[in-house]
Amino acid sequence: MKRRDFLAGGAACTLAAISGKASAQSGPLTKIIFPFAAGGGGDALCRVLAQYMSQPLDRNIIVENRTGGDGLIGIKAAKAANPDGTTILVTTGPTMYLLPMVETQPTFDTAKDFVPVSQLVRFEFCVVAGPAVDAKDFTQFVAWLKANPDKATFGVPSNGTIPHFTGSRLEEVLGIKMTRVAYRGGAPIMNDLIGGHLPFAIVTLTDAIPQHRAGGVKVLAVTSAERSPFLEVPTLKEYGIDLVADAWYGMWLPAGASPAFAKQVSEAAATALAKPEVREKLLAIGLIPVGSTPEGLTRELAANTAFWQPIVKATGYKITN
């Protein structure tokens, strides 16, 4: 089975309003390796950080898109890099904790191969229904599922992602067998929802909001711990579903990098993310600035790993490599 996209959201975001170049500095040239293509929300995040972290770190920072293997090529490049502070990895949290779970022969160990720097931003997922579902809210949706078990089919942006395993968890909690259909991204899912060819889906909130506001689909619940700042819709927890499933971008250095430098980079990232103009730019594309210490990133990764590992294991899903 081929590797699938672990980005899970944000790939269609526009960069025009937020890309920028780092100003010339006296320190060594530093590159941020981003293991996905240019043109998405994560790439935009990297370019903003390159711009705003350049001065406090006293160095030029560039962004290098090392695509392939749905994130693995860039991760391996960062893993093999000299730990001298001139290479930084920025990728999604799910990439760093789900890939080692689902690969038959894991090619990296996040804890051993990387030094944590910071959790950067988070983004959200949602349960969204098309006109084929007769439900005004999540409670009515569950009733519809129970009354129409033969129609309990949902779309996800790809297999092996947070939406994939969120669906598996919902099946378990609700006690309803559902059929998962993997797409190549959120856009074709939205088209099938609107056309009535797909009853419901689990996608990034960013993908769903435009059509929700236009009336083509209805966001029934968000999977984050709290209500989204982008849309006033209840969380799954508010409906009694013990499930929090959002995602985030984090920053790492290659193993062997100085903890003192990791702290310095973390502080520079947190300062950048706290700037009003940076927050405004990121919120505009559905990214919620967070910023954390290296210890905070370690705790977040451990919590996510502990939560998802039994869920992923129960599905039996594996990528052959």
Side-chain angles (χ1 to χ4, degrees):
M1 182 178 295
K2 293 182 179 180
R3 287 187 175 88
R4 297 289 189 174
D5 182 9
F6 281 77
L7 185 56
C13 299
T14 301
L15 297 182
I18 68 175
S19 61
K21 297 181 179 178
S23 58
Q25 302 294 336
S26 60
L29 177 66
T30 297
K31 62 183 176 183
I32 293 176
I33 291 181
F34 182 63
F36 301 101
D43 179 70
L45 168 67
C46 290
R47 295 179 191 281
V48 167
L49 291 175
Q51 179 183 2
Y52 283 87
M53 292 172 60
S54 179
Q55 185 173 356
L57 292 178
D58 190 30
R59 58 185 62 204
N60 277 331
I61 303 177
I62 61 172
V63 177
E64 181 178 313
N65 299 90
R66 293 290 294 271
T67 62
D70 293 314
L72 191 57
I73 299 300
I75 291 172
K76 290 172 69 174
K79 172 185 172 181
N82 192 323
D84 59 359
T86 60
T87 299
I88 298 171
L89 172 67
V90 171
T91 187
T92 62
T95 306
M96 298 298 273
Y97 61 78
L98 286 183
L99 268 173
M101 290 182 199
V102 302
E103 284 189 306
T104 53
Q105 297 179 352
T107 51
F108 69 94
D109 183 315
T110 304
K112 294 180 180 179
D113 295 328
F114 295 94
V115 174
V117 175
S118 177
Q119 184 184 25
L120 301 170
V121 298
R122 66 181 180 87
F123 56 95
E124 304 163 309
F125 299 101
C126 65
V127 179
V128 57
V133 175
D134 183 19
K136 294 181 179 179
D137 57 28
F138 190 80
T139 300
Q140 291 185 7
F141 168 66
V142 173
W144 181 88
L145 283 175
K146 292 180 177 179
N148 300 275
D150 58 319
K151 298 179 181 179
T153 298
F154 70 100
V156 297
S158 68
N159 283 321
T161 58
I162 292 297
H164 170 167
F165 298 120
T166 296
S168 299
R169 177 63 172 164
L170 277 177
E171 282 188 284
E172 179 185 353
V173 172
L174 298 175
I176 300 172
K177 180 63 178 176
M178 300 187 291
T179 300
R180 182 185 72 256
V181 179
Y183 286 72
R184 296 195 177 195
I189 289 179
M190 300 311 298
N191 289 336
D192 277 2
L193 284 174
I194 295 167
H197 307 299
L198 180 71
F200 69 103
I202 302 172
V203 298
T204 65
L205 189 59
T206 301
D207 281 336
I209 282 179
Q211 288 302 326
H212 171 89
R213 289 175 174 164
V217 301
K218 186 170 184 62
V219 175
L220 301 170
V222 293
T223 66
S224 47
E226 300 176 351
R227 291 196 180 193
S228 171
F230 308 113
L231 194 66
E232 188 60 22
V233 174
T235 66
L236 286 175
K237 290 185 70 176
E238 290 180 73
Y239 284 111
I241 306 295
D242 186 18
L243 173 62
V244 174
D246 56 8
W248 43 273
Y249 284 97
M251 179 179 283
W252 289 264
L253 298 172
S258 161
F261 181 67
K263 182 179 180 181
Q264 183 184 359
V265 176
S266 175
E267 290 172 349
T271 299
L273 292 168
K275 291 183 179 295
E277 65 269 29
V278 171
R279 293 184 61 84
E280 181 181 354
K281 292 171 181 178
L282 295 176
L283 287 168
I285 57 170
L287 299 178
I288 304 169
V290 178
S292 77
T293 62
E295 294 77 16
L297 176 58
T298 298
R299 288 192 298 269
E300 184 69 24
L301 189 72
N304 280 244
T305 301
F307 177 81
W308 287 108
Q309 199 157 43
I311 297 173
V312 173
K313 185 177 181 180
T315 68
Y317 180 79
K318 283 290 183 180
I319 289 173
T320 301
N321 64 323

